[in-house]
Amino acid sequence: MVKDKSMEVTISNTKTSVSNPSNESISAKNTVNESEEKEQQEEDTLKELKKFFIKSVQDIYYAEHEIEEKLGDIKNKATSEALEDALEDHQLITKKQILRLEKVFKLLNETPKKNKCEAIVGILKEGDEMISQTKDKSTLRDIAIILACQKVEHYEIATYNGLIQLAVTLKLDKVVQLLE
């Protein structure tokens, strides 16, 4: 604490206050400055959150392209016709999801861009390894394909749920609708 005959200043880690009976405007200026500073911090936080959100959309955009390509590869390895049909259906759904992500980029005034997603690279690699360890045209191969697809689907669900929550926080209502 610093003392002066006409003024007392208290400085702590979080707050600065000035007490001066003859000049109350100092306190008002500090309150305005603190308010402006808080607003600036909130604005900076939202900017950082939006950057993080965009990077995350780029990650899933990359992932969806990789998934779409992989579905084309593995549907030919399936034994069951029903599994082949399900994989083909999922491939079409994935293509539609890519188009929806492109609309998200447009709403964000961003060019669609893929950011390599190491998570999906690892999940797809693991799926390839599981499938390659089974015999061609076997029921076990179909089981390995189903398990690999379930892992991918769970990754997608977790990612989209997180993106939706971020979009809600950022008040991007139209983006939320596209991600749901």
Side-chain angles (χ1 to χ4, degrees):
M1 183 164 15
V2 178
K3 287 197 175 188
D4 185 312
K5 291 180 182 177
S6 62
M7 183 181 285
E8 181 179 281
V9 177
T10 306
I11 300 175
S12 71
N13 289 338
T14 59
K15 189 175 179 182
T16 302
S17 64
V18 177
S19 176
N20 183 349
S22 64
N23 189 354
E24 292 181 10
S25 66
I26 294 173
S27 179
K29 284 181 183 177
N30 282 348
T31 303
V32 170
N33 288 340
E34 289 173 6
S35 177
E36 287 174 356
E37 200 172 288
K38 185 177 179 183
E39 284 179 28
Q40 184 62 47
Q41 288 173 346
E42 289 174 4
E43 187 178 313
D44 291 347
T45 299
L46 285 175
K47 283 180 185 177
E48 288 300 311
L49 186 60
K50 189 168 182 183
K51 283 181 189 177
F52 179 79
F53 177 75
I54 291 168
K55 183 190 175 301
S56 298
V57 172
Q58 292 169 343
D59 284 355
I60 194 65
Y61 187 63
Y62 173 92
E64 292 288 12
H65 277 88
E66 293 297 304
I67 293 164
E68 191 267 331
E69 184 180 320
K70 186 59 67 180
L71 285 167
D73 294 342
I74 65 170
K75 75 178 175 187
N76 299 324
K77 296 179 181 181
T79 302
S80 161
E81 190 175 319
L83 180 56
E84 284 180 43
D85 291 345
L87 293 168
E88 190 172 323
D89 288 347
H90 193 73
Q91 189 176 24
L92 291 173
I93 291 168
T94 303
K95 286 178 182 180
K96 287 179 184 177
Q97 190 61 31
I98 290 169
L99 294 174
R100 291 169 80 186
L101 288 169
E102 289 170 354
K103 289 178 184 178
V104 168
F105 281 114
K106 188 174 183 176
L107 287 170
L108 297 170
N109 295 316
E110 294 284 331
T111 303
K113 178 182 169 191
K114 297 178 202 170
N115 187 48
K116 186 173 183 178
C117 175
E118 295 296 338
I120 203 64
V121 169
I123 292 169
L124 293 175
K125 181 180 176 190
E126 181 183 7
D128 282 342
E129 290 170 2
M130 288 188 320
I131 294 165
S132 71
Q133 294 173 2
T134 62
K135 292 182 184 174
D136 284 346
K137 304 294 178 191
S138 69
T139 303
L140 185 56
R141 169 139 314 164
D142 283 356
I143 292 169
I145 290 170
I146 292 167
L147 182 59
C149 288
Q150 285 177 333
K151 289 180 179 189
V152 168
E153 191 64 25
H154 284 273
Y155 170 78
E156 288 179 286
I157 291 167
T159 300
Y160 281 106
N161 284 339
L163 287 173
I164 289 166
Q165 290 306 308
L166 288 171
V168 167
T169 301
L170 292 166
K171 296 180 172 97
L172 300 169
D173 298 335
K174 290 181 181 179
V175 170
V176 170
Q177 291 172 358
L178 287 170
L179 296 173
E180 290 180 319

